[in-house]
Amino acid sequence: MSASGKKIAVVTGAGSGIGRSVALTLAAAGWSVAVAGRRTEPLEETAKAAGAGADVLCVRADVSDPDDVAALFAAVRERHGRLDLLFNNAGTFGPGGVALEDISYEAWRQVVDVNLTGAFLCAQAAFRQMKAQDPRGGRIINNGSISAHVPRPNSIAYTATKHAMTGLTKSLSLDGRPHRIACGQIDIGNAATEMTERMQTGILQANGQLAVEPVMDAADVARTVLHMAELPLEANVQFATVMATTMPYIGRG
């Protein structure tokens, strides 16, 4: 905990969607939260939504930029002196509806840079801080996806990076053991955010048809992240799946 007695969290991609919901839920539970994202205005909107009594630090950062990531964690260290949680949430789906053979190198690279390299850079910075601080240790929660298990049509870049996220989670979990650093992953299916709006109007299925899919409130995801975050470091949720109950994932539709 910090000198104020609060636990300290960094939430990336916190300007909207799941990141904003998690940041608000942590702040409401008494955490000090550093919210990071590429645009300042949405971060300030998240801070405003948290209320006047919340301790929210807004840091503009592109997680795919090593210098931005270093500056983010330096700002948190300067303000709080330690870090208890990283929610590695920032991500992009990439070009939607583009056939595999038509995806440009630039589009592929952007998804890999944000979803995988960005997650690694943030995890590395958090790991360094958690290993060096006193008391030592902390927790990293990676935002995976249902796509870490099964793909959607025309989603090769996103799916590949989310499968890679699982490897990142396992390696962090193993390498963190000697340092009291726990790492888990939450795989989310159809939370209602800007990224999933098309699911409510019709999205391509594996059989080639378009279908409307059910969604769930992002707050349901945030409560699960809070539970994972507030476990003692002697306990860890290694993998959790939170999904809209009737989405086409279990079974054949």
Coordinates of all heavy atoms in Angstrom, one line a residue, residues 3-97:
A3 N 1.6 5.4 1.1 CA 1.5 6.1 2.3 C 0.1 6.4 2.8 O -0.2 6.6 4.0 CB 2.4 7.4 2.2
S4 N -0.8 6.6 1.8 CA -2.2 6.9 2.1 C -3.0 5.7 2.6 O -4.1 5.8 3.0 CB -2.9 7.5 0.9 OG -2.9 6.6 -0.2
G5 N -2.4 4.5 2.5 CA -3.1 3.3 2.9 C -3.8 2.7 1.7 O -4.5 1.6 1.9
K6 N -3.8 3.3 0.6 CA -4.5 2.7 -0.6 C -3.6 1.8 -1.4 O -2.4 2.1 -1.5 CB -5.0 3.9 -1.5 CG -6.2 4.7 -0.8 CD -6.7 5.7 -1.8 CE -7.9 6.4 -1.3 NZ -8.5 7.3 -2.3
K7 N -4.2 0.8 -2.1 CA -3.4 0.1 -3.1 C -3.4 0.8 -4.4 O -4.4 1.6 -4.7 CB -4.1 -1.3 -3.2 CG -3.8 -2.2 -2.1 CD -4.3 -3.7 -2.4 CE -3.9 -4.6 -1.3 NZ -4.2 -6.0 -1.6
I8 N -2.4 0.6 -5.2 CA -2.1 1.4 -6.4 C -2.3 0.5 -7.6 O -1.7 -0.6 -7.7 CB -0.7 1.9 -6.4 CG1 -0.4 2.6 -5.0 CG2 -0.6 2.9 -7.5 CD1 -1.3 3.6 -4.6
A9 N -3.1 0.9 -8.6 CA -3.3 0.2 -9.8 C -3.0 1.0 -11.0 O -3.2 2.2 -11.0 CB -4.8 -0.3 -9.9
V10 N -2.5 0.4 -12.1 CA -2.4 1.0 -13.4 C -3.4 0.2 -14.3 O -3.4 -1.0 -14.3 CB -1.0 0.9 -14.0 CG1 -1.0 1.2 -15.5 CG2 0.0 1.7 -13.2
V11 N -4.2 1.0 -15.0 CA -5.2 0.4 -16.0 C -4.9 1.0 -17.3 O -5.0 2.2 -17.5 CB -6.6 0.7 -15.6 CG1 -7.6 0.1 -16.6 CG2 -6.9 0.1 -14.2
T12 N -4.5 0.2 -18.3 CA -4.3 0.7 -19.7 C -5.6 0.6 -20.5 O -6.5 -0.2 -20.2 CB -3.2 -0.1 -20.4 OG1 -3.5 -1.4 -20.5 CG2 -1.9 0.0 -19.5
G13 N -5.6 1.4 -21.5 CA -6.9 1.5 -22.3 C -8.1 1.9 -21.5 O -9.2 1.4 -21.6
A14 N -7.8 2.9 -20.6 CA -8.8 3.2 -19.6 C -9.8 4.3 -20.0 O -10.6 4.8 -19.2 CB -8.1 3.6 -18.3
G15 N -9.6 4.8 -21.2 CA -10.5 5.9 -21.7 C -11.9 5.5 -22.1 O -12.7 6.3 -22.4
S16 N -12.1 4.2 -22.2 CA -13.4 3.7 -22.7 C -13.6 2.2 -22.3 O -12.7 1.6 -21.8 CB -13.6 3.9 -24.2 OG -12.6 3.1 -24.9
G17 N -14.8 1.7 -22.5 CA -15.1 0.3 -22.5 C -14.7 -0.4 -21.2 O -14.9 0.1 -20.1
I18 N -14.1 -1.6 -21.3 CA -13.7 -2.4 -20.2 C -12.7 -1.7 -19.3 O -12.8 -1.7 -18.1 CB -13.2 -3.8 -20.6 CG1 -14.3 -4.6 -21.2 CG2 -12.5 -4.5 -19.5 CD1 -13.9 -5.8 -22.0
G19 N -11.7 -1.0 -19.9 CA -10.7 -0.3 -19.1 C -11.3 0.8 -18.2 O -11.0 0.9 -17.1
R20 N -12.3 1.5 -18.8 CA -12.9 2.6 -18.0 C -13.7 1.9 -16.9 O -13.7 2.4 -15.7 CB -13.8 3.4 -18.8 CG -14.7 4.4 -18.0 CD -15.5 5.3 -18.9 NE -14.6 6.3 -19.5 CZ -15.1 7.3 -20.4 NH1 -16.4 7.3 -20.7 NH2 -14.3 8.2 -20.9
S21 N -14.5 0.9 -17.2 CA -15.3 0.2 -16.2 C -14.5 -0.4 -15.0 O -14.8 -0.2 -13.8 CB -16.1 -0.9 -16.8 OG -17.0 -1.5 -15.9
V22 N -13.3 -1.0 -15.4 CA -12.5 -1.5 -14.3 C -11.9 -0.4 -13.5 O -11.8 -0.5 -12.3 CB -11.4 -2.4 -15.0 CG1 -10.3 -2.7 -14.0 CG2 -12.0 -3.7 -15.5
A23 N -11.4 0.7 -14.1 CA -10.8 1.8 -13.4 C -11.8 2.4 -12.4 O -11.5 2.7 -11.2 CB -10.4 2.9 -14.4
L24 N -13.1 2.5 -12.8 CA -14.1 3.1 -12.0 C -14.4 2.1 -10.8 O -14.7 2.6 -9.7 CB -15.4 3.4 -12.8 CG -15.3 4.5 -13.8 CD1 -16.6 4.6 -14.6 CD2 -14.8 5.8 -13.2
T25 N -14.5 0.8 -11.1 CA -14.7 -0.1 -10.1 C -13.6 -0.2 -9.0 O -13.9 -0.3 -7.8 CB -15.0 -1.5 -10.7 OG1 -16.1 -1.5 -11.5 CG2 -15.2 -2.6 -9.6
L26 N -12.4 -0.1 -9.5 CA -11.3 -0.1 -8.5 C -11.3 1.2 -7.7 O -11.1 1.1 -6.4 CB -9.9 -0.2 -9.3 CG -9.6 -1.5 -9.9 CD1 -8.4 -1.4 -10.9 CD2 -9.3 -2.6 -8.9
A27 N -11.5 2.3 -8.3 CA -11.6 3.6 -7.6 C -12.7 3.6 -6.5 O -12.5 4.0 -5.4 CB -11.8 4.7 -8.6
A28 N -13.8 3.0 -6.9 CA -15.0 2.9 -6.0 C -14.7 2.0 -4.8 O -15.2 2.2 -3.7 CB -16.2 2.4 -6.7
A29 N -13.8 1.1 -5.0 CA -13.4 0.1 -3.9 C -12.2 0.7 -3.1 O -11.7 0.0 -2.2 CB -13.0 -1.2 -4.5
G30 N -11.8 1.9 -3.4 CA -10.8 2.5 -2.5 C -9.4 2.5 -3.1 O -8.4 2.9 -2.4
W31 N -9.2 2.0 -4.3 CA -7.8 2.0 -4.9 C -7.5 3.4 -5.4 O -8.3 4.1 -5.9 CB -7.8 1.0 -6.1 CG -7.9 -0.4 -5.7 CD1 -8.9 -1.1 -5.1 CD2 -6.8 -1.4 -5.9 NE1 -8.6 -2.4 -4.9 CE2 -7.3 -2.7 -5.4 CE3 -5.6 -1.4 -6.5 CZ2 -6.6 -3.8 -5.5 CZ3 -4.8 -2.6 -6.5 CH2 -5.3 -3.8 -6.0
S32 N -6.2 3.7 -5.5 CA -5.6 4.7 -6.3 C -5.3 4.2 -7.7 O -4.7 3.1 -7.8 CB -4.3 5.3 -5.7 OG -4.6 5.9 -4.4
V33 N -5.8 4.9 -8.7 CA -5.8 4.3 -10.0 C -5.1 5.3 -11.0 O -5.5 6.4 -11.1 CB -7.2 4.0 -10.6 CG1 -7.1 3.3 -11.9 CG2 -7.9 3.1 -9.6
A34 N -4.1 4.8 -11.7 CA -3.5 5.5 -12.8 C -4.1 5.0 -14.1 O -4.0 3.8 -14.4 CB -2.0 5.3 -12.8
V35 N -4.8 5.9 -14.8 CA -5.5 5.5 -16.0 C -4.6 6.0 -17.2 O -4.2 7.1 -17.3 CB -6.9 6.1 -16.1 CG1 -7.8 5.4 -15.0 CG2 -6.9 7.6 -16.0
A36 N -4.4 5.0 -18.2 CA -3.5 5.3 -19.3 C -4.3 5.1 -20.6 O -5.1 4.2 -20.7 CB -2.3 4.5 -19.2
G37 N -3.9 5.8 -21.6 CA -4.5 5.7 -22.9 C -3.9 6.7 -23.9 O -3.1 7.6 -23.5
R38 N -4.2 6.5 -25.2 CA -3.5 7.4 -26.2 C -4.1 8.8 -26.2 O -3.4 9.7 -26.8 CB -3.6 6.7 -27.5 CG -2.7 5.5 -27.7 CD -2.9 4.8 -29.0 NE -4.2 4.2 -29.2 CZ -4.6 3.6 -30.3 NH1 -3.8 3.5 -31.3 NH2 -5.8 3.0 -30.3
R39 N -5.3 9.0 -25.7 CA -5.9 10.3 -25.8 C -6.2 10.8 -24.4 O -6.8 10.1 -23.6 CB -7.2 10.3 -26.7 CG -6.9 10.0 -28.2 CD -8.1 10.0 -29.0 NE -9.0 8.9 -28.6 CZ -10.3 9.2 -28.3 NH1 -10.8 10.4 -28.4 NH2 -11.1 8.2 -28.0
T40 N -5.9 12.1 -24.1 CA -6.1 12.6 -22.8 C -7.5 12.8 -22.4 O -8.0 12.5 -21.3 CB -5.3 13.9 -22.7 OG1 -3.9 13.7 -23.0 CG2 -5.4 14.5 -21.3
E41 N -8.3 13.3 -23.4 CA -9.7 13.7 -23.0 C -10.5 12.5 -22.5 O -11.2 12.7 -21.5 CB -10.4 14.3 -24.3 CG -11.8 14.8 -24.0 CD -12.4 15.5 -25.2 OE1 -11.7 15.9 -26.1 OE2 -13.7 15.7 -25.2
P42 N -10.5 11.3 -23.1 CA -11.3 10.2 -22.6 C -10.8 9.8 -21.2 O -11.6 9.4 -20.3 CB -11.1 9.1 -23.6 CG -10.7 9.8 -24.9 CD -9.9 11.0 -24.4
L43 N -9.5 9.9 -20.9 CA -9.0 9.6 -19.6 C -9.5 10.6 -18.6 O -9.9 10.2 -17.5 CB -7.4 9.7 -19.6 CG -6.7 8.7 -20.5 CD1 -5.2 9.0 -20.5 CD2 -7.0 7.3 -20.2
E44 N -9.6 11.8 -18.9 CA -10.1 12.8 -18.0 C -11.6 12.6 -17.8 O -12.1 12.8 -16.7 CB -9.9 14.2 -18.6 CG -8.4 14.6 -18.6 CD -8.1 16.0 -19.3 OE1 -9.0 16.4 -20.0 OE2 -7.0 16.5 -19.1
E45 N -12.3 12.1 -18.8 CA -13.7 11.7 -18.6 C -13.9 10.6 -17.6 O -14.8 10.5 -16.8 CB -14.4 11.4 -19.9 CG -14.5 12.6 -20.9 CD -14.9 12.2 -22.3 OE1 -15.1 11.0 -22.5 OE2 -15.1 13.1 -23.1
T46 N -12.9 9.6 -17.7 CA -12.9 8.5 -16.7 C -12.7 9.0 -15.3 O -13.4 8.6 -14.4 CB -11.8 7.5 -17.1 OG1 -12.1 6.9 -18.4 CG2 -11.8 6.3 -16.1
A47 N -11.7 9.9 -15.2 CA -11.4 10.5 -13.9 C -12.6 11.2 -13.3 O -12.9 11.1 -12.1 CB -10.2 11.4 -14.0
K48 N -13.3 12.0 -14.2 CA -14.5 12.7 -13.7 C -15.6 11.8 -13.3 O -16.2 12.1 -12.3 CB -15.0 13.6 -14.9 CG -16.1 14.5 -14.5 CD -16.5 15.4 -15.7 CE -17.7 16.3 -15.3 NZ -18.1 17.2 -16.4
A49 N -15.8 10.7 -14.0 CA -16.8 9.7 -13.7 C -16.5 9.1 -12.3 O -17.5 8.6 -11.7 CB -17.0 8.7 -14.8
A50 N -15.2 9.0 -12.0 CA -14.9 8.4 -10.7 C -15.3 9.2 -9.5 O -15.4 8.7 -8.4 CB -13.4 8.1 -10.6
G51 N -15.5 10.5 -9.7 CA -16.0 11.3 -8.6 C -14.9 12.1 -7.9 O -13.7 11.8 -8.0
A52 N -15.3 13.2 -7.3 CA -14.3 14.1 -6.7 C -13.4 13.5 -5.6 O -12.3 13.9 -5.4 CB -15.0 15.3 -6.1
G53 N -13.9 12.5 -4.9 CA -13.1 11.9 -3.9 C -12.2 10.8 -4.3 O -11.4 10.3 -3.5
A54 N -12.2 10.5 -5.6 CA -11.4 9.4 -6.1 C -9.9 9.9 -6.4 O -9.7 11.0 -6.8 CB -12.0 8.8 -7.3
D55 N -9.0 9.0 -6.2 CA -7.6 9.3 -6.5 C -7.2 8.7 -7.9 O -6.9 7.5 -7.9 CB -6.7 8.7 -5.4 CG -5.2 9.1 -5.6 OD1 -4.9 9.9 -6.6 OD2 -4.3 8.6 -4.9
V56 N -7.4 9.5 -8.9 CA -7.1 9.0 -10.3 C -6.1 9.9 -10.9 O -6.2 11.1 -11.0 CB -8.5 9.0 -11.1 CG1 -8.2 8.6 -12.5 CG2 -9.5 8.2 -10.4
L57 N -5.1 9.2 -11.4 CA -4.0 9.9 -12.2 C -4.1 9.6 -13.6 O -4.2 8.4 -14.0 CB -2.6 9.4 -11.7 CG -1.4 9.9 -12.4 CD1 -1.2 11.4 -12.3 CD2 -0.2 9.1 -11.9
C58 N -4.2 10.6 -14.5 CA -4.4 10.4 -15.9 C -3.0 10.6 -16.6 O -2.3 11.6 -16.4 CB -5.3 11.5 -16.5 SG -7.0 11.4 -15.9
V59 N -2.6 9.6 -17.4 CA -1.3 9.6 -18.0 C -1.5 9.2 -19.5 O -1.9 8.1 -19.8 CB -0.3 8.6 -17.4 CG1 1.1 8.8 -18.1 CG2 -0.2 8.9 -15.9
R60 N -1.3 10.1 -20.4 CA -1.4 9.8 -21.8 C -0.2 8.9 -22.2 O 1.0 9.3 -22.0 CB -1.3 11.1 -22.7 CG -1.8 10.8 -24.1 CD -1.0 11.6 -25.1 NE 0.4 11.2 -25.2 CZ 0.8 10.2 -25.9 NH1 0.0 9.4 -26.5 NH2 2.1 9.9 -25.9
A61 N -0.5 7.8 -22.8 CA 0.6 6.8 -23.1 C 0.1 5.9 -24.2 O -1.0 5.4 -24.2 CB 1.0 6.0 -21.9
D62 N 1.0 5.7 -25.2 CA 0.8 4.7 -26.2 C 1.6 3.4 -25.8 O 2.8 3.5 -25.7 CB 1.3 5.2 -27.5 CG 1.2 4.2 -28.7 OD1 0.9 3.0 -28.4 OD2 1.3 4.6 -29.9
V63 N 0.9 2.4 -25.4 CA 1.6 1.2 -24.8 C 2.6 0.5 -25.8 O 3.4 -0.2 -25.3 CB 0.6 0.1 -24.3 CG1 -0.3 0.7 -23.2 CG2 -0.3 -0.4 -25.5
S64 N 2.5 0.8 -27.1 CA 3.4 0.2 -28.0 C 4.7 1.0 -28.1 O 5.6 0.6 -28.8 CB 2.8 0.1 -29.4 OG 2.5 1.4 -30.0
D65 N 4.8 2.2 -27.4 CA 5.9 3.0 -27.4 C 6.7 2.8 -26.1 O 6.2 3.2 -25.0 CB 5.5 4.5 -27.5 CG 6.7 5.5 -27.7 OD1 7.7 5.2 -27.0 OD2 6.5 6.5 -28.4
P66 N 7.9 2.3 -26.2 CA 8.7 2.0 -25.0 C 8.9 3.3 -24.1 O 8.9 3.2 -22.9 CB 10.0 1.5 -25.5 CG 9.7 0.9 -26.8 CD 8.6 1.8 -27.4
D67 N 9.1 4.4 -24.7 CA 9.3 5.6 -24.0 C 8.1 6.0 -23.2 O 8.1 6.5 -22.1 CB 9.8 6.8 -24.9 CG 11.2 6.5 -25.4 OD1 12.0 5.8 -24.8 OD2 11.5 7.1 -26.5
D68 N 6.9 5.9 -23.9 CA 5.7 6.2 -23.2 C 5.4 5.3 -22.0 O 4.9 5.8 -21.0 CB 4.5 6.1 -24.2 CG 4.3 7.4 -25.1 OD1 5.2 8.2 -25.1 OD2 3.3 7.4 -25.8
V69 N 5.7 4.0 -22.2 CA 5.5 3.1 -21.1 C 6.4 3.4 -19.9 O 6.0 3.4 -18.8 CB 5.7 1.6 -21.6 CG1 5.7 0.7 -20.4 CG2 4.6 1.3 -22.6
A70 N 7.7 3.7 -20.2 CA 8.6 4.1 -19.2 C 8.1 5.3 -18.4 O 8.2 5.4 -17.2 CB 10.0 4.3 -19.7
A71 N 7.6 6.3 -19.1 CA 7.1 7.5 -18.5 C 5.9 7.3 -17.7 O 5.7 7.9 -16.6 CB 6.8 8.6 -19.6
L72 N 5.0 6.4 -18.1 CA 3.8 6.0 -17.4 C 4.2 5.5 -16.0 O 3.7 5.9 -15.0 CB 3.0 5.0 -18.2 CG 1.9 4.2 -17.4 CD1 0.8 5.2 -16.9 CD2 1.3 3.2 -18.3
F73 N 5.0 4.5 -16.0 CA 5.4 3.8 -14.7 C 6.2 4.7 -13.8 O 6.2 4.6 -12.6 CB 6.0 2.5 -15.0 CG 5.0 1.4 -15.4 CD1 4.6 1.3 -16.7 CD2 4.3 0.7 -14.5 CE1 3.6 0.4 -17.1 CE2 3.3 -0.3 -14.8 CZ 3.0 -0.4 -16.2
A74 N 7.0 5.6 -14.5 CA 7.8 6.6 -13.7 C 6.8 7.6 -13.0 O 7.1 7.9 -11.8 CB 8.8 7.3 -14.6
A75 N 5.8 8.0 -13.7 CA 4.8 8.9 -13.1 C 4.1 8.2 -11.9 O 3.8 8.9 -10.9 CB 3.8 9.3 -14.2
V76 N 3.8 7.0 -12.0 CA 3.1 6.3 -10.9 C 4.1 6.1 -9.8 O 3.7 6.3 -8.6 CB 2.6 4.9 -11.4 CG1 2.1 4.1 -10.2 CG2 1.5 5.0 -12.5
R77 N 5.3 5.8 -10.0 CA 6.3 5.6 -9.0 C 6.6 6.9 -8.3 O 6.7 7.0 -7.0 CB 7.6 5.1 -9.6 CG 8.7 4.8 -8.6 CD 9.8 3.9 -9.2 NE 10.4 4.5 -10.4 CZ 10.2 4.1 -11.7 NH1 9.4 3.1 -11.9 NH2 10.8 4.8 -12.7
E78 N 6.6 8.0 -9.0 CA 6.8 9.4 -8.4 C 5.7 9.8 -7.5 O 5.9 10.3 -6.4 CB 7.0 10.4 -9.5 CG 7.3 11.8 -9.0 CD 7.5 12.8 -10.1 OE1 7.7 12.4 -11.3 OE2 7.6 14.0 -9.8
R79 N 4.5 9.4 -7.9 CA 3.3 9.9 -7.1 C 3.0 8.9 -6.0 O 2.7 9.4 -4.9 CB 2.1 9.9 -8.0 CG 0.8 10.2 -7.3 CD -0.2 10.9 -8.2 NE -1.5 11.0 -7.7 CZ -2.5 11.8 -8.2 NH1 -2.3 12.4 -9.3 NH2 -3.7 11.9 -7.7
H80 N 3.2 7.6 -6.2 CA 2.8 6.7 -5.1 C 3.9 5.9 -4.5 O 3.7 5.3 -3.4 CB 1.8 5.7 -5.7 CG 0.5 6.4 -6.2 ND1 -0.4 7.0 -5.3 CD2 0.0 6.5 -7.4 CE1 -1.4 7.5 -6.0 NE2 -1.2 7.2 -7.3
G81 N 5.0 5.8 -5.2 CA 6.2 5.0 -4.6 C 6.1 3.5 -4.8 O 7.1 2.8 -4.5
R82 N 5.0 3.0 -5.3 CA 4.9 1.6 -5.5 C 3.7 1.2 -6.4 O 3.0 2.2 -6.9 CB 4.6 0.8 -4.2 CG 3.3 1.1 -3.5 CD 3.1 0.2 -2.2 NE 2.9 -1.2 -2.6 CZ 3.9 -2.2 -2.4 NH1 5.0 -1.9 -1.9 NH2 3.6 -3.4 -2.8
L83 N 3.6 0.0 -6.7 CA 2.5 -0.5 -7.6 C 2.0 -1.9 -7.2 O 2.8 -2.8 -6.9 CB 3.0 -0.6 -9.1 CG 2.1 -1.2 -10.1 CD1 0.9 -0.2 -10.3 CD2 2.8 -1.4 -11.4
D84 N 0.7 -2.0 -7.0 CA 0.1 -3.3 -6.5 C -0.6 -4.0 -7.7 O -0.7 -5.3 -7.5 CB -0.9 -3.0 -5.4 CG -0.2 -2.3 -4.2 OD1 0.5 -3.0 -3.5 OD2 -0.5 -1.1 -4.0
L85 N -1.0 -3.4 -8.7 CA -1.8 -4.0 -9.8 C -1.5 -3.4 -11.1 O -1.6 -2.1 -11.2 CB -3.3 -4.0 -9.4 CG -4.2 -4.5 -10.5 CD1 -4.1 -6.0 -10.7 CD2 -5.7 -4.1 -10.2
L86 N -1.3 -4.2 -12.1 CA -1.4 -3.8 -13.5 C -2.6 -4.5 -14.2 O -2.5 -5.8 -14.2 CB -0.1 -4.0 -14.3 CG -0.2 -4.0 -15.8 CD1 -0.5 -2.6 -16.3 CD2 1.1 -4.5 -16.5
F87 N -3.5 -3.8 -14.7 CA -4.5 -4.4 -15.6 C -4.2 -4.1 -17.0 O -4.3 -3.0 -17.5 CB -6.0 -3.9 -15.2 CG -7.0 -4.6 -16.1 CD1 -7.0 -6.0 -16.3 CD2 -8.0 -3.8 -16.7 CE1 -8.0 -6.6 -17.0 CE2 -9.0 -4.4 -17.4 CZ -9.0 -5.8 -17.6
N88 N -3.6 -5.1 -17.7 CA -3.1 -5.0 -19.0 C -4.2 -5.1 -20.0 O -4.6 -6.2 -20.5 CB -2.1 -6.1 -19.3 CG -0.7 -5.6 -19.7 OD1 -0.6 -4.5 -20.2 ND2 0.3 -6.5 -19.6
N89 N -4.9 -4.0 -20.3 CA -6.2 -4.0 -21.0 C -6.1 -3.4 -22.4 O -6.9 -3.8 -23.3 CB -7.2 -3.3 -20.2 CG -8.5 -3.0 -20.9 OD1 -9.3 -3.9 -21.2 ND2 -8.7 -1.7 -21.3
A90 N -5.2 -2.5 -22.7 CA -5.2 -1.8 -24.0 C -5.1 -2.8 -25.1 O -4.3 -3.8 -25.1 CB -4.0 -0.9 -24.1
G91 N -5.9 -2.6 -26.2 CA -5.9 -3.5 -27.3 C -6.7 -3.0 -28.5 O -7.5 -2.0 -28.3
T92 N -6.5 -3.6 -29.6 CA -7.2 -3.2 -30.8 C -7.6 -4.4 -31.6 O -6.8 -5.4 -31.6 CB -6.4 -2.2 -31.7 OG1 -7.1 -1.9 -32.9 CG2 -5.1 -2.9 -32.1
F93 N -8.7 -4.4 -32.3 CA -9.2 -5.5 -33.1 C -8.5 -5.5 -34.4 O -8.2 -6.6 -35.0 CB -10.7 -5.5 -33.2 CG -11.2 -6.8 -33.9 CD1 -11.4 -7.9 -33.1 CD2 -11.5 -6.9 -35.2 CE1 -11.9 -9.1 -33.6 CE2 -11.9 -8.1 -35.8 CZ -12.1 -9.2 -35.0
G94 N -8.1 -4.4 -34.9 CA -7.6 -4.3 -36.2 C -8.6 -4.1 -37.3 O -9.8 -3.8 -37.0
P95 N -8.3 -4.3 -38.5 CA -9.2 -4.1 -39.6 C -10.3 -5.2 -39.6 O -10.1 -6.4 -39.6 CB -8.4 -4.3 -40.9 CG -7.2 -5.1 -40.5 CD -6.9 -4.8 -39.0
G96 N -11.6 -4.7 -39.5 CA -12.7 -5.6 -39.4 C -13.2 -6.0 -40.8 O -13.2 -5.2 -41.7
G97 N -13.5 -7.3 -40.9 CA -14.1 -7.8 -42.2 C -13.1 -7.9 -43.3 O -13.5 -8.1 -44.5

